[in-house]
Amino acid sequence: MFIPRVNYVPETSAEKQKYADQYYEYVDWFKKIPHETWYLNEHEPKKRLVATFIQHPDHLKKTVIISHGYKGNRETMANYAHMFYNMGFNVLLPDDRAHGDSAGEYINFGWLDRLDYLNWINKLIAVKGEDEKILLFGVSMGGATVEMLSGENLPTQVKAIIADCGYSSIKEEMTYLLKEQFHLPEYPIEPLVSTINRQRLGFYLGDVSSIDQLRKNRRPILFIHGGKDTYVPVKMAYENYRATKAPKQLWIVKNATHAESFWYNPEAYQHRVGQFLKTYF
């Protein structure tokens, strides 16, 4: 969708402003916790990708890799990092291409990012050892990123996936937003954007599908989605859920809007995630 990078995190929606104090408490924790900075392509400025790694003191040989949302960065996932850290996980938080401290001119909505995450997984195994157990977790665009990653040939160390409010395909998501938010038709906008995207990033919007990737998925997966999500419609959660033949669970958080499920009830969120991990991790 050739959206150029933005070098700031946009304001959150009005309905999420009420969580601001809690959010900044998590960010403070994130800034103070001992951590390492990891890189991919460290010596190639135009391709350099950056991540924060937080080692849990208990050394339980399990790491969650957390994928952030559209125009977010690793710091915006501090609340999830805190939750998983409290559950005994090491935490690896990358900045996607064209986000945060990573290089890149254009946001690619998870499609090229999925290959970067494959490289982060391999780096993690190289650093932490073959016996590291890995969980993939993402929200919004990050949810779609881990869904798209699920169809790749993942190392055996990857044990499970949690995708919170990911879209089923970029084309469907764009068409939905054109209609709902901008009252515009799919044609001629989508084909035009798709063609420019092919020139800039090497793929058409129609090439990018969580559903197609989930059909190849073999890992247990938990889908989470807000029942009042008007940004990524809840029907996409059902489409994604139906697509995979792997062990799967779907949790619709009835009154939550987009990416609000955690904030709506953090205890319930952690409990549900914990139950899933107890069964499959």
Side-chain angles (χ1 to χ4, degrees), residues 209-227:
S209 167
S210 300
I211 288 174
D212 289 349
Q213 291 290 95
L214 283 162
R215 287 193 182 114
K216 297 183 269 180
N217 171 46
R218 297 288 167 268
R219 298 295 189 283
I221 184 163
L222 168 63
F223 298 96
I224 301 171
H225 215 102

Side-chain angles (χ1 to χ4, degrees), residues 29-30 50-52 54 63-69 73-85 89-96 117 120-121 124 134-139 141-143 145-146 149 162:
W29 170 85
F30 178 73
V50 184
T52 293
I54 302 169
T63 299
V64 60
I65 302 178
I66 295 179
S67 180
H68 65 73
N73 59 35
R74 58 203 200 268
E75 184 184 283
T76 61
M77 305 303 277
N79 54 310
Y80 303 103
H82 181 268
M83 176 183 81
F84 283 111
Y85 183 83
F89 282 85
N90 308 321
V91 186
L92 180 63
L93 297 124
D95 278 347
D96 289 2
Y117 278 84
W120 284 120
I121 290 167
L124 179 68
I134 300 169
L135 170 67
L136 303 176
F137 173 87
V139 179
M141 185 181 86
T145 303
V146 296
L149 181 54
I162 300 173

Side-chain angles (χ1 to χ4, degrees), residues 8 25 31 58 63 101 139 153 157 177-178 261-262:
Y8 63 92
E25 279 172 27
K31 286 177 173 168
D58 291 351
T63 299
D101 295 324
V139 179
N153 189 10
Q157 284 85 351
L177 291 177
L178 282 173
S261 296
F262 172 91

Side-chain angles (χ1 to χ4, degrees), residues 180-212:
E180 293 299 316
Q181 292 199 346
F182 305 106
H183 310 292
L184 292 168
E186 176 179 350
Y187 187 83
I189 299 167
E190 191 279 328
L192 181 67
V193 171
S194 190
T195 303
I196 299 171
N197 200 78
R198 175 80 171 77
Q199 292 163 348
R200 299 272 168 92
L201 289 170
F203 60 88
Y204 293 109
L205 298 190
D207 298 342
V208 182
S209 167
S210 300
I211 288 174
D212 289 349

